[in-house]
Amino acid sequence: MPRYIVRYGAMRLVGKFAPSGEQAFRRGTHVIIRTDRGLEAGLILCEARPPQQEEPPALQGQILRAMTPEDARELVRIHEQERSEYGVCLRSIAKLGLDMRLVHVEHLFGGERIIVYYLAEGRVDFRELVKLLASEFQTRIEMRQIGVRDEAKLLADYGDCGKPVCCNTHLIEIPPVSMKMAKLQKATLDPTKISGRCGRLKCCLRYEYDMYEKMLKELPPLGSRVTIREGPARVIGHEILAGQLLVETDDRRRRLVPAVEVSPLELSTPSETPDPDTP
């Protein structure tokens, strides 16, 4: 029986699901699934085919059926209801004076629970808020504290590149990104140009970093002495993608040379002479 990779939920979770019968589904089919959270709407991404020699991922739940027109209308109604629930949550937070910022309210398709996503600097005592919302909505309330990258995953639309933001499309996990990655790729260090919609370093700085590191290892390190056509020189810079080195000759001239035309400078070893004091 085939298994399928399904994307579901406001946070665009991805899991492996099995159909309830002998049904087969095509990529892009909207389905109703059962997860550990309850009844949800999902999207078939592909058939699950585990790589060789790897343990296949555990099942996350079951695919109940392809989404019907009635299910689609119900989903639209739920999304409209989420807007009103967002307003109720906002007013309740203000009423209780809680130091938190509401980001999103997710109402599961089956109505088993409502998930409230929020930002806060530290821990928030939301027990009174949960009681208030549970009595208002008559269902289970789950509070989920998130970070600014998760906020972008929920709310952001397009990045500076003109395409939908990666965190809201194909990324399953948000990769760690550091300033070292930007420096290695010679990206501008202007924070306004290398920051994404979340205000943090762009996730795309991570994509090519491993390749840059691999290519850098094949080049002479900074400060090393090399031989070029004009004679000995010192490496003072790298053009990694171009495969070039910025070198400085002994007479202080600088130039870019292809790395393939450079060889390490072989230092001559002084000949051994006998010590006159040695008998």
Side-chain angles (χ1 to χ4, degrees), residues 81-254:
Q81 187 175 341
E82 285 175 343
R83 297 188 184 96
S84 63
E85 290 167 348
Y86 183 92
V88 172
C89 290
L90 207 57
R91 291 190 293 271
S92 299
I93 291 171
K95 178 180 178 181
L96 296 173
L98 297 177
D99 187 16
M100 56 190 290
R101 182 159 68 86
L102 182 63
V103 176
H104 184 69
V105 173
E106 180 183 11
H107 190 129
L108 295 192
F109 183 83
E112 292 88 350
R113 71 181 71 186
I114 292 174
I115 305 171
V116 179
Y117 299 92
Y118 69 94
L119 285 169
E121 292 295 331
R123 294 179 61 88
V124 178
D125 185 357
F126 47 69
R127 287 174 293 182
E128 288 302 318
L129 176 62
V130 169
K131 292 178 182 178
L132 197 60
L133 297 179
S135 63
E136 177 74 26
F137 301 140
Q138 295 298 306
T139 189
R140 180 179 176 181
I141 304 298
E142 179 180 332
M143 304 295 297
R144 183 70 59 86
Q145 185 173 358
I146 61 175
V148 291
R149 287 189 183 272
D150 293 319
E151 181 189 20
K153 191 171 185 177
L154 283 166
L155 304 180
D157 43 19
Y158 291 90
D160 296 340
C161 58
K163 295 184 177 182
V165 290
C166 299
C167 58
N168 202 15
T169 50
H170 64 277
L171 284 184
I172 299 174
E173 296 180 357
I174 308 296
V177 185
S178 67
M179 187 61 76
K180 176 184 175 182
M181 298 177 183
K183 291 179 178 178
L184 180 61
Q185 297 173 62
K186 295 189 181 299
T188 173
L189 299 185
D190 183 351
T192 62
K193 294 183 178 180
I194 59 175
S195 299
R197 295 293 299 273
C198 58
R200 302 291 178 85
L201 291 174
K202 292 180 178 179
C203 293
C204 53
L205 289 171
R206 184 70 182 83
Y207 298 164
E208 298 178 357
Y209 177 67
D210 292 340
M211 180 57 68
Y212 270 85
E213 275 204 320
K214 180 181 178 181
M215 295 174 68
L216 180 62
K217 289 178 181 178
E218 297 174 355
L219 300 177
L222 294 177
S224 60
R225 298 281 291 174
V226 295
T227 300
I228 61 175
R229 291 179 180 176
E230 289 82 356
R234 183 170 59 92
V235 178
I236 60 174
H238 297 122
E239 292 295 334
I240 299 177
L241 289 184
Q244 295 181 322
L245 302 173
L246 178 62
V247 299
E248 184 180 70
T249 59
D250 291 344
D251 56 0
R252 300 294 183 180
R253 288 184 299 168
R254 295 185 177 187

